[in-house]
Amino acid sequence: MEEIYNWINLMSETHSDLLTQHYLGATYESRPMHYLKISQPSSNLKKMIWMDCGIHAREWIAPAFCQWFVKEIVQNHQKDARIKKILRNLDLYVLPVLNIDGYIYTWTTDRLWRKSRSQQENGTCYGVDLNRNFNVKWCDLGSSKNCSDNSYCGISPVSEPETKAVVDFVEKRKSDIICFLTMHSYSQYILTAYGYTRDLPKSYNETASHVF
């Protein structure tokens, strides 16, 4: 994680014309959550795309993907017509590691740890599946109320500081966000909203035409 922190600093300093570093919030263990904003001046009114990686601690390739994505934009934005068009109309926000405490724990203690590292039930168990801590069909199908389970949803919606940091960011800017991406490494799927029902969202056809 220290290497990723250093990489964020280096990228924002080396490519200050394109990248700026911002503080999102702090984890349960008081580590700073930093994201990169990728933006170029434009006369257009710009919308936003959010991307986070590493919400599940053991999925190491996800943070690496966020770093690769930023690198690709930085290296190709001047010569790639598609990237130029994107940056004329959109600002990109990239959080390389959301579950920082859990990610560090997978390096130091348990390679297959998945959750955050918050203390639960007076220290009898640890961690919340941050992916299941948002206030959308909270603790419904696919979640667990047993704090020892990998899919434990927490004591309440948005109970975890990591989740709250993302929610606070989105709530302040939700009218400008046109796409919210969370990168995982398990399986080979593109999952579109909403995962808790078979009913398709109103924007499904528009989304599918761009994705597929």
Side-chain angles (χ1 to χ4, degrees):
M1 189 63 219
E2 202 59 40
E3 290 183 24
I4 296 178
Y5 279 135
N6 291 335
W7 172 84
I8 292 172
N9 291 332
L10 178 64
M11 293 297 285
S12 60
E13 292 171 2
T14 308
H15 305 283
S16 57
D17 59 323
L18 186 64
L19 304 179
T20 52
Q21 179 183 168
H22 301 270
Y23 175 79
L24 182 70
T27 67
Y28 178 80
E29 295 179 344
S30 300
R31 295 185 174 94
M33 303 168 69
H34 294 296
Y35 64 88
L36 288 169
K37 178 182 178 182
I38 307 173
S39 179
Q40 283 191 320
S42 174
S43 58
N44 298 334
L45 291 174
K46 299 171 79 173
K47 295 292 186 178
M48 300 166 47
I49 290 179
W50 169 270
M51 178 191 296
D52 62 62
C53 295
I55 196 169
H56 285 150
R58 62 193 180 194
E59 298 178 13
W60 284 3
I61 199 66
F65 170 79
C66 264
Q67 292 177 273
W68 175 86
F69 176 83
V70 171
K71 183 264 296 182
E72 286 293 299
I73 298 290
V74 166
Q75 289 186 353
N76 298 302
H77 73 281
Q78 292 180 334
K79 57 187 177 183
D80 189 307
R82 292 174 301 174
I83 296 177
K84 282 184 178 181
K85 183 179 179 181
I86 289 171
L87 294 179
R88 278 198 304 269
N89 297 285
L90 295 168
D91 289 335
L92 309 175
Y93 293 74
V94 181
L95 178 65
V97 188
L98 197 162
N99 182 7
I100 295 172
D101 297 343
Y103 181 71
I104 291 173
Y105 193 72
T106 64
W107 282 88
T108 62
T109 308
D110 182 353
R111 173 63 183 90
L112 295 180
W113 187 260
R114 166 184 162 109
K115 300 183 287 181
S116 66
R117 289 297 301 162
S118 57
Q119 181 175 287
Q120 304 294 321
E121 297 186 7
N122 296 318
T124 58
C125 51
Y126 288 83
V128 167
D129 181 357
L130 300 176
N131 201 46
R132 288 167 170 78
N133 189 236
F134 292 92
N135 192 18
V136 181
K137 297 288 183 178
W138 175 77
C139 225
D140 205 338
L141 186 67
S143 300
S144 173
K145 293 186 178 180
N146 181 344
C147 69
S148 296
D149 289 344
N150 271 333
S151 58
Y152 176 54
C153 58
I155 59 171
S156 63
V158 198
S159 60
E160 306 307 294
E162 296 90 347
T163 314
K164 187 176 186 305
V166 174
V167 169
D168 287 348
F169 177 93
V170 170
E171 284 293 330
K172 292 175 184 176
R173 301 164 177 85
K174 59 185 176 183
S175 62
D176 293 323
I177 297 177
I178 64 166
C179 183
F180 187 106
L181 298 169
T182 296
M183 297 298 170
H184 291 261
S185 68
Y186 182 79
S187 197
Q188 296 182 26
Y189 291 109
I190 296 173
L191 302 180
T192 60
Y194 297 97
Y196 56 78
T197 176
R198 291 184 180 274
D199 296 335
L200 300 178
K202 293 178 181 179
S203 62
Y204 177 78
N205 289 334
E206 178 185 1
T207 304
S209 68
H210 283 81
V211 171
F212 305 111

